[in-house]
Amino acid sequence: MAGAPDPSLLDQPVTALPGAGPVTAARLAERGLGSVRDLLAFLPLGYDDFRTRYPLSALATLPDGQTVVVQARVRRVHRFFRRLLDVYLEQDGAELRARWFRPNAGMVKTYAKGNLVALAGTLRRGKDGSLEMVHPRNVTALLAEREALSSQSGLGLRPRYPAVEKVPGRVVEKLVAAAVERAAGLVPDVLPGRVAQGFGFPSIAESLRQVHQPEASLSDEKLAELLVGQAPAQQRLAFEDLFVVQVGLALERARARQATGWRCAVDGEAVLTSARAALPFAPTSAQERAIRTVFADLTSATPMQRLLQGDVGSGKTVVAFAAALLVARAGGQSLLMAPTEVLAEQHGRTLAGWGNKAGLRVAVLHAGLEAQARRRVLASVATGATDLLVGTHALLEESLRVKRLALAIVDEQHRFGVRQRAALRRAGGWIPDEKTGMVPHLLVLSATPIPRTLALTAYGDLELVTLDESPPGRQPVATHLGVGEAARHQALAAVKAAVAAGGQGFVVCPAIVEQKQGGRASVLSRFRELRPLLAPARVGLLHGQMPSRDQEEVVSAFRAGQLDVLVATTVLEVGVDVPRASIIVIEDAERFGLAQLHQLRGRVGRGGQASSCHLLTGGQDPETLDRLAFVAATSDGFSIAEEDLRRRGPGEIYGERQTGVVGLWMRDPAGVVALVERARQEAEALLAEDSELTSSQHAALRQAVEARWLRRRPIAEEAG
Ligand code: ADP
Ligand code: MG
């Protein structure tokens, strides 16, 4: 390419690269890959060693699990109508079977008898002992292209990228390669030189190249490093990710430390007494302990930074209520941010009910409100007539003005990113308050406990208080793991039986839209199917993309007992609190995270009656069954969260995808924890020198931190 490189290429849409049309671009954007920069940050999950092309006769000596490239002629083809395609390759008397499930029509043509094809994949011995590759990649064209370009045979080390729906892996690979070629050199170095040198990291451009396109000449030792995420280039990308987050957290911390909080000069015990009188039950002693701890924070002059952890159903809302009540008695206002409208509505109803008795004025704000209602709410908050405003991320909108914001509460924090947490505190144009310099208190509620080391590093100076006791009369939810159609019918029969006995139930499916292939449960088709099947039970539908008024109507009909069963998406995960619900069926359970399954299960068993949860899956994958069996056997949210973390990585903790870290975590969690610690130390050291990152040396870093923290992005309500 001629001319000076254009740094803006990084922020251009992927259509700026050859090979990306608008349709592909849209599909990539859905996966969060909107710009050239995003493609660079899309790191491989692993690598396939396709450097050697093997003759078929050599395969018999290789172990199962070895990745290989072969090139041979198709000798015969077996096709089992739409279900299975077996292609037998032959070379010098040696044979190899390539097998595809659910082949499409085009594939059959590709593998016509006599065709010369190249396949890349993992070798294994089939049930009958013969050699096979299952779902290998067709690399015929790629190989021809390579060989035309260089004398090298084979395909080198191929990066394996996470799947992007409806975009073939080959296209993803090509686009990332184009991004690396044209734009890797444009990425600014955000690590301070001292830090990069201290670690012996390669430059960012070099790191991106090495991670996306490792040299075919890599030594075995270096390849081994790369495969476990220990290559300096990988470490650099992961570290940089963590570092940017840690610098942002350290900035927040430093600012909060200097700030003055809303000192609530009221008698905590008196407030606790009125809270007790307003509640329809006696608080547990764990709740009272937590309330007293929070009160101590609120009555001091430094802004509270507290994380309240407690398993699903442990009663965290009560603590939030008491905190808002104390603040109101001191003349301040509170915000409570919840991740879904359904939950915001429910909190609004509960808290308004309790608030009525205690003189706490509660209002609700979310995107689903009509213009007039919305204006009324905004006005009441601006004049100070509302004490506690409950809402979704609509609370982060510029138009919100809070007269005396003293306390910000974030419920179900794991559903929000660090950025949104920080933004809530700045909500209402209140922070930074130039006149008073006051910072609202922050209370974060979470049902997903996390190991101490990561909690510290992820939340900075958030102090911890735990609800270690559940309200009385709870029974553990009997959890069954069911595989296949028969199990599904049994589970549905159990729903019918529960309804006949006067209970209510949920059926959860992962996706909203119809999935053409793969036969995944979709909530719409399930709803249509289940309605007649579960009759005479009255079945309602609930998902996050329904207009919010419809969502509310369905939930209140269910709450009022006018519906017996809700067929729903994960919008249920947080919030729906209906004591009569005693059975939950979760379809395609393998598609949910463990902590998520536990949260979903927490929707039942709230009324003290015996309840059950059925985890259904069609898959036979041992790893999947093992995961689900773990949830079925464990009722302790803490162990489940730890297991989830072990399997999924700390991206969950930060509440957003950590590009460089997720893959690394899978391979080396302890190493990541060490990196987080180190990132935190380096961030502190840096701010000790340049407390607001004003030096020109740190301009790129400042930009990265701001991009990470200040961009406002709506939260996805649905998983899967
Ligand atoms: P969490 O948010 O911790 O999952 P919630 O605050 O939604 O839990 O409380 C779960 C259910 O338990 C609610 O129905 C709530 O009214 C009820 N609850 C909370 N505290 C108590 C208590 N001390 N005694 C009886 N029921 C309680
Ligand atoms: Mg809750």
Side-chain angles (χ1 to χ4, degrees):
M1 271 195 302
D6 174 10
S8 70
L9 178 60
L10 284 173
D11 295 308
Q12 280 175 25
V14 298
T15 44
L17 298 170
V23 175
T24 303
R27 285 172 183 163
L28 289 169
E30 232 163 81
R31 182 70 163 73
L33 304 170
S35 66
V36 173
R37 188 192 294 276
D38 295 333
L39 282 181
L40 289 175
F42 194 55
L43 300 185
L45 291 174
Y47 300 87
D48 290 318
D49 184 356
F50 292 145
R51 289 178 296 186
T52 319
R53 199 189 334 162
Y54 290 90
L56 294 194
S57 56
L59 298 182
T61 60
L62 297 176
D64 271 25
Q66 168 99 37
T67 51
V68 295
V69 181
V70 296
Q71 190 174 35
R73 290 209 182 270
V74 176
R75 183 175 154 80
R76 57 200 170 97
V77 178
H78 283 193
R79 213 178 139 201
F80 304 87
F81 184 71
R82 293 242 192 108
R83 298 167 58 90
L84 192 68
L85 174 69
D86 278 347
V87 173
Y88 290 84
L89 302 185
E90 198 215 46
Q91 193 176 46
D92 302 330
E95 198 176 57
L96 172 69
R97 177 173 60 227
R99 167 166 278 189
W100 287 271
F101 297 100
R102 296 179 180 276
N104 58 43
M107 292 176 62
V108 179
K109 257 190 223 137
T110 311
Y111 299 108
K113 188 173 167 187
N115 280 4
L116 181 68
V117 296
L119 298 177
T122 309
L123 189 69
R124 69 168 199 194
R125 266 89 190 154
K127 285 201 183 87
D128 57 359
S130 58
L131 285 166
E132 67 176 9
M133 286 204 258
V134 177
H135 283 262
R137 270 168 66 188
N138 186 323
V139 293
T140 315
L142 198 60
L143 196 64
E145 205 174 280
R146 280 295 146 113
E147 288 178 342
L149 280 177
S150 69
S151 54
Q152 201 183 26
S153 83
L155 293 164
L157 291 168
R158 314 294 300 169
R160 206 174 336 110
Y161 292 101
V164 178
E165 203 153 339
K166 296 201 194 125
V167 183
R170 229 189 115 193
V171 173
V172 172
E173 208 181 306
K174 273 198 152 167
L175 286 173
V176 176
V180 170
E181 186 197 324
R182 293 173 183 220
L186 306 176
V187 179
D189 245 311
V190 305
L191 283 190
R194 178 175 48 82
V195 178
Q197 278 152 28
F199 278 101
F201 285 148
S203 73
I204 181 72
E206 192 46 41
S207 302
L208 287 168
R209 269 183 218 113
Q210 288 178 14
V211 167
H212 287 296
Q213 297 169 347
E215 307 251 349
S217 60
L218 220 56
S219 69
D220 284 353
E221 194 187 331
K222 289 264 190 278
L223 177 60
E225 239 177 38
L226 189 69
L227 292 176
V228 296
Q230 294 292 347
Q234 289 163 310
Q235 297 271 313
R236 175 186 173 115
L237 297 178
F239 184 81
E240 197 173 295
D241 237 8
L242 297 167
F243 183 68
V244 168
V245 171
Q246 289 302 323
V247 170
L249 283 167
L251 273 170
E252 283 287 316
R253 252 188 332 257
R255 287 172 189 164
R257 237 183 265 132
Q258 285 161 10
T260 328
W262 246 88
R263 190 170 172 277
C264 299
V266 287
D267 176 10
E269 286 306 309
V271 176
L272 186 51
T273 305
S274 17
R276 270 197 218 103
L279 292 170
F281 42 71
T284 63
S285 51
Q287 281 167 327
E288 295 214 349
R289 264 197 311 277
I291 290 171
R292 288 203 171 90
T293 309
V294 168
F295 280 9
D297 293 345
L298 292 172
T299 49
S300 98
T302 3
M304 167 166 77
Q305 310 244 74
R306 194 164 283 280
L307 170 63
L308 171 64
Q309 287 190 340
D311 206 347
V312 194
S314 58
K316 295 181 287 290
T317 319
V318 166
V319 180
F321 167 68
L325 186 59
L326 183 98
V327 164
R329 294 275 163 95
Q333 290 169 283
S334 306
L335 296 178
L336 192 162
M337 180 164 75
T340 65
E341 286 180 14
V342 170
L343 181 55
E345 278 292 330
Q346 175 165 291
H347 276 332
R349 185 177 303 106
T350 309
L351 292 164
W354 299 343
N356 249 337
K357 302 207 175 85
L360 181 80
R361 296 162 302 177
V362 179
V364 178
L365 182 73
H366 56 66
L369 284 193
E370 309 211 324
Q372 204 185 350
R374 185 186 143 79
R375 269 199 301 277
R376 230 184 3 251
V377 169
L378 288 176
S380 77
V381 178
T383 57
T386 285
D387 300 311
L388 169 61
L389 179 63
V390 181
T392 56
H393 48 280
L395 294 179
L396 301 180
E397 277 166 27
E398 307 287 351
S399 54
L400 179 68
R401 289 280 171 280
V402 186
K403 191 161 186 218
R404 297 178 303 268
L405 177 60
L407 169 64
I409 307 171
V410 184
D411 193 18
E412 306 288 351
Q413 73 74 33
H414 63 283
R415 300 278 296 236
F416 297 100
V418 267
R419 204 164 48 217
Q420 280 150 329
R421 231 158 50 212
L424 178 67
R425 228 184 338 186
R426 280 189 216 99
W430 205 89
I431 291 293
D433 187 320
E434 273 107 38
K435 271 182 257 143
T436 62
M438 280 207 279
V439 173
H441 299 286
L442 177 68
L443 178 62
V444 175
L445 313 183
S446 174
T448 313
I450 48 181
R452 183 97 197 132
T453 34
L454 274 170
L456 270 178
T457 45
Y459 295 119
D461 283 348
L462 283 196
E463 287 169 281
L464 200 67
V465 61
T466 306
L467 287 183
D468 49 11
E469 174 189 3
S470 284
R474 293 277 161 82
Q475 294 184 36
V477 180
T479 307
H480 313 278
L481 172 56
V483 183
E485 275 303 294
R488 180 162 182 258
H489 286 295
Q490 264 172 22
L492 294 177
V495 172
K496 272 177 101 162
V499 169
Q504 288 176 298
F506 304 107
V507 179
V508 182
C509 320
I512 310 167
V513 287
E514 211 76 50
Q515 302 281 347
K516 288 209 186 64
Q517 284 188 329
R520 277 187 212 145
S522 100
V523 70
L524 291 179
S525 64
R526 283 310 193 226
F527 175 64
R528 281 192 291 264
E529 178 204 347
L530 290 174
R531 199 144 59 152
L533 232 137
L534 293 174
R538 294 156 302 173
V539 183
L541 171 68
L542 178 70
H543 63 74
Q545 289 180 8
M546 279 159 58
S548 50
R549 212 164 350 128
D550 297 358
Q551 289 187 39
E552 268 151 46
E553 245 164 52
V554 168
V555 173
S556 45
F558 186 72
R559 190 171 284 128
Q562 292 152 2
L563 289 173
D564 305 306
V565 178
L566 279 190
V567 176
T569 58
T570 52
V571 71
L572 261 195
E573 179 189 341
V574 289
V576 176
D577 181 29
V578 179
R580 259 197 331 130
S582 64
I583 181 163
I584 183 165
V585 174
I586 305 176
E587 303 220 35
D588 287 344
E590 74 281 357
R591 298 195 58 208
F592 298 97
L594 299 187
Q596 215 176 5
L597 290 172
H598 182 65
Q599 286 265 350
L600 284 168
R601 175 169 62 185
R603 296 308 116 211
V604 299
R606 296 182 156 231
Q609 76 278 47
S611 3
S612 65
C613 167
H614 299 258
L615 305 175
L616 300 181
T617 178
Q620 300 277 3
D621 171 39
E623 141 86 18
T624 303
L625 294 179
D626 182 55
R627 244 161 38 92
L628 297 178
F630 182 87
V631 177
T634 316
S635 60
D636 170 34
F638 193 90
S639 335
I640 291 177
E642 279 204 323
E643 183 68 12
D644 204 24
L645 184 78
R646 195 174 71 68
R647 292 173 190 260
R648 280 155 55 114
E652 293 296 296
I653 291 175
Y654 288 110
E656 53 190 86
R657 194 146 272 268
Q658 296 276 296
T659 47
V661 183
V662 173
L664 182 57
W665 173 270
M666 304 295 170
R667 295 171 291 227
D668 180 20
V672 171
V673 172
L675 274 190
V676 175
E677 295 279 1
R678 186 79 190 269
R680 177 179 155 92
Q681 287 163 14
E682 294 292 354
E684 291 281 354
L686 182 75
L687 291 184
E689 282 167 29
D690 183 7
S691 64
E692 288 288 324
L693 299 183
T694 40
S695 132
S696 62
Q697 260 182 308
H698 300 142
L701 175 61
R702 192 177 62 234
Q703 261 184 11
V705 171
E706 277 170 5
R708 186 121 208 180
W709 285 72
L710 301 179
R711 213 185 326 149
R712 290 178 178 183
R713 199 166 50 182
I715 300 135
E717 271 195 5
E718 311 279 347

